[in-house]
C-alpha cells in the first residue's frame, strides 16, 4: 500500500522536479554566453531599445516605400517634378511635410532619401570595417615592421581632418553615390584598425591561442577561429556608431553639392534646397534635418547600449 502510494505521488513529482531543473539549467546555460548576457543587459537599456526600434522603423519605411508612397502621398516618384501640385505649400493632410519648389512631396523625398543615406552608412562602414580588420590584424598579429608601417600610415590618415579629407578625395574622383561609398569607406579604416589591433593584442597571448599555435594551426585559422570571435564585440560597437557618422558625412557632402547628384533625393540635398527658404518655408529645411538628427542619434545611442551590454566587466555575478 505504501509502495503503491509512492508510485502514484512521489515518482511523478520527482520527474516534474527533474524536468524543471533541467529546463532551468538549459535556460541558464543559454543566457551565460557572451551574446546571451549582452542581450539581457541591452534589454534593460531603454534608450538603446528605443533607438533600435527607430532604426528598424526607418529601414522598413524606406524599404517598402514603393508599395505605399505613390498611393498614400500621390507621389509617383521622388525625382520628377509635379506641376499639378502647387510649389512650397505648407504641411497638410495631403502633404504632411509640404511640397518643394517643383511641387514634389517633401515626405516622399525624405523617405526615399533615407534609402540613400542608410545605404551609404552601411556600405561605407562595411568597406572601412573590412579594410580596418585586415590592417589591424596584420599590425597586431605579425607585429614588428608590419605594425610600424601600418600604424604610421594610420597616423598620416588621422593627421588630416576627416571631412576635409573626404571632400578632397571626392574632388579628385568626382561626384556620385559610388564615389561617396569609396571616399567615406577608404578614409574611415584607421580608427577601426586601431580598435581591432588593441583588441587582438589583448587576447593573442592567451593560453588557447598558444595551444592552437602549438597544434599547427595556421595564422589565418587562429585569427578567424580564436582571435576574431573574442575581439568582435568592440568592432560591433564601433561599426554601429560609425554608420551614423557615415550618414552625417554623406549629408554634409550632398549639402555642399559633392555627394548625391540631383534630382536623386538625399537628406543633405533636401537641406541644401530648403536653406534659401528658411525664413518663409522653414519646414523644407527643418524636417529633413530632423530625419538626420534622429537617425544619427539612434545609431549613437544603440552603439552606447551595445558597448555597455558587451562589456564583460558589467556581467552579473
Amino acid at each position: 500500500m505504501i509502495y503503491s502510494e509512492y508510485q502514484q505521488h512521489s515518482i511523478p513529482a520527482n520527474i516534474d522536479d527533474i524536468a524543471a531543473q533541467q529546463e532551468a539549467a538549459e535556460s541558464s546555460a543559454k543566457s551565460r554566453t557572451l551574446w546571451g548576457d549582452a542581450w539581457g543587459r541591452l534589454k534593460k537599456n531603454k534608450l538603446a531599445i528605443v533607438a533600435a526600434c527607430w532604426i528598424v522603423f526607418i529601414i522598413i519605411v524606406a524599404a517598402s516605400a514603393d508599395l505605399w508612397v505613390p498611393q498614400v502621398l500621390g507621389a509617383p516618384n521622388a525625382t520628377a517634378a509635379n506641376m499639378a501640385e502647387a510649389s512650397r505649400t505648407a504641411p497638410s493632410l495631403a502633404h504632411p511635410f509640404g511640397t518643394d519648389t517643383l511641387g514634389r512631396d517633401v515626405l516622399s523625398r525624405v523617405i526615399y532619401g533615407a534609402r540613400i543615406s542608410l545605404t551609404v552608412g552601411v556600405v561605407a562602414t562595411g568597406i572601412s570595417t573590412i579594410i580596418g580588420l585586415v590592417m589591424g590584424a596584420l599590425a597586431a598579429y605579425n607585429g614588428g615592421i608590419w605594425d610600424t608601417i601600418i600604424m604610421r600610415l594610420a597616423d598620416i590618415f588621422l593627421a588630416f581632418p576627416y571631412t576635409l579629407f573626404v571632400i578632397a578625395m571626392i574632388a579628385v574622383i568626382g561626384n556620385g553615390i559610388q564615389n561617396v561609398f569609396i571616399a567615406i569607406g577608404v578614409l574611415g579604416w584607421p580608427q577601426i584598425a586601431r580598435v581591432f589591433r588593441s583588441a587582438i593584442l589583448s587576447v593573442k597571448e592567451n593560453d588557447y591561442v598558444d595551444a592552437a599555435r602549438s597544434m599547427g594551426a595556421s595564422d589565418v585559422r587562429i585569427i578567424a577561429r580564436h582571435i576574431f570571435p573574442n575581439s568582435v564585440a568592440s568592432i560591433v560597437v564601433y561599426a554601429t556608431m560609425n554608420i551614423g557618422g557615415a550618414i552625417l558625412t554623406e549629408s554634409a557632402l550632398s549639402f555642399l553639392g559633392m555627394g548625391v547628384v540631383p534630382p536623386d533625393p538625399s537628406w543633405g540635398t533636401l537641406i541644401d534646397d530648403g536653406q534659401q527658404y528658411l525664413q518663409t518655408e522653414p519646414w523644407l529645411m527643418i524636417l529633413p534635418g530632423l530625419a538626420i538628427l534622429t537617425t544619427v542619434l539612434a545609431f549613437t545611442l544603440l552603439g552606447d547600449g551595445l558597448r555597455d551590454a558587451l562589456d564583460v566587466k558589467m556581467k552579473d555575478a
Side-chain angles (χ1 to χ4, degrees):
M1 182 66 179
I2 295 176
Y3 178 73
S4 177
E5 292 178 355
Y6 178 80
Q7 282 183 317
Q8 295 177 4
H9 300 287
S10 299
I11 293 178
N14 289 338
I15 292 176
D16 291 340
D17 291 342
I18 293 173
Q21 292 174 359
Q22 290 178 343
E23 183 178 353
E26 292 175 357
S27 176
S28 176
K30 292 179 181 179
S31 66
R32 300 312 292 179
T33 63
L34 172 64
W35 299 105
D37 288 342
W39 172 241
R41 287 191 292 270
L42 184 62
K43 290 190 295 185
K44 299 177 182 179
N45 190 326
K46 303 303 182 184
L47 281 177
I49 294 299
V50 171
C53 291
W54 176 252
I55 292 171
V56 171
F57 173 74
I58 291 292
I59 293 173
I60 293 174
V61 168
S64 63
D66 291 336
L67 301 177
W68 61 273
V69 167
Q71 293 79 11
V72 175
L73 299 177
N77 57 60
T79 59
N82 188 359
M83 297 306 176
E85 295 287 346
S87 63
R88 303 203 309 273
T89 59
S92 62
L93 291 178
H95 302 287
F97 281 17
T99 59
D100 64 5
T101 55
L102 297 179
R104 297 171 295 191
D105 183 80
V106 175
L107 177 56
S108 66
R109 287 178 60 79
V110 170
I111 292 172
Y112 282 104
R115 287 184 174 183
I116 293 178
S117 295
L118 291 174
T119 302
V120 169
V122 173
V123 174
T125 299
I127 293 173
S128 60
T129 300
I130 292 173
I131 298 175
L133 291 179
V134 173
M135 301 294 274
L138 288 174
Y141 194 78
N142 293 323
I145 188 65
W146 282 101
D147 190 19
T148 301
I149 293 175
I150 293 174
M151 287 300 99
R152 297 298 76 76
L153 182 62
D155 291 339
I156 293 174
F157 273 73
L158 294 173
F160 295 92
Y162 176 71
T163 303
L164 293 179
F165 206 175
V166 173
I167 292 174
M169 188 169 183
I170 289 291
V172 173
I173 64 178
N175 297 0
I177 188 68
Q178 296 85 355
N179 292 338
V180 172
F181 293 156
I182 296 172
I184 298 177
V186 169
L187 299 180
W189 69 267
Q191 297 91 336
I192 293 180
R194 284 179 172 274
V195 171
F196 194 43
R197 173 181 176 271
S198 63
I200 291 178
L201 290 176
S202 66
V203 302
K204 78 170 188 175
E205 301 300 333
N206 288 333
D207 293 339
Y208 57 83
V209 176
D210 292 335
R213 189 181 293 112
S214 65
M215 294 175 65
S218 64
D219 292 345
V220 174
R221 181 177 178 84
I222 291 174
I223 292 174
R225 295 293 300 273
H226 301 287
I227 294 180
F228 180 75
N230 290 281
S231 308
V232 70
S234 58
I235 301 303
V236 169
V237 173
Y238 193 86
T240 302
M241 293 184 172
N242 210 29
I243 292 176
I247 291 174
L248 198 59
T249 302
E250 181 276 324
S251 298
L253 291 174
S254 297
F255 177 79
L256 296 173
M258 304 185 69
V260 177
V261 179
D264 291 335
S266 168
W267 289 341
T269 57
L270 293 179
I271 294 178
D272 182 37
D273 292 341
Q275 66 170 332
Q276 57 183 319
Y277 306 107
L278 180 60
Q279 294 183 345
T280 56
E281 289 90 18
W283 57 84
L284 293 176
M285 183 176 178
I286 293 176
L287 297 178
L290 289 176
I292 298 174
L293 172 64
T294 55
T295 304
V296 174
L297 180 62
F299 277 106
T300 302
L301 292 176
L302 180 59
D304 285 337
L306 288 173
R307 180 188 59 198
D308 295 338
L310 292 170
D311 187 356
V312 295
K313 295 179 181 179
M314 299 182 64
K315 188 173 181 178
D316 296 333

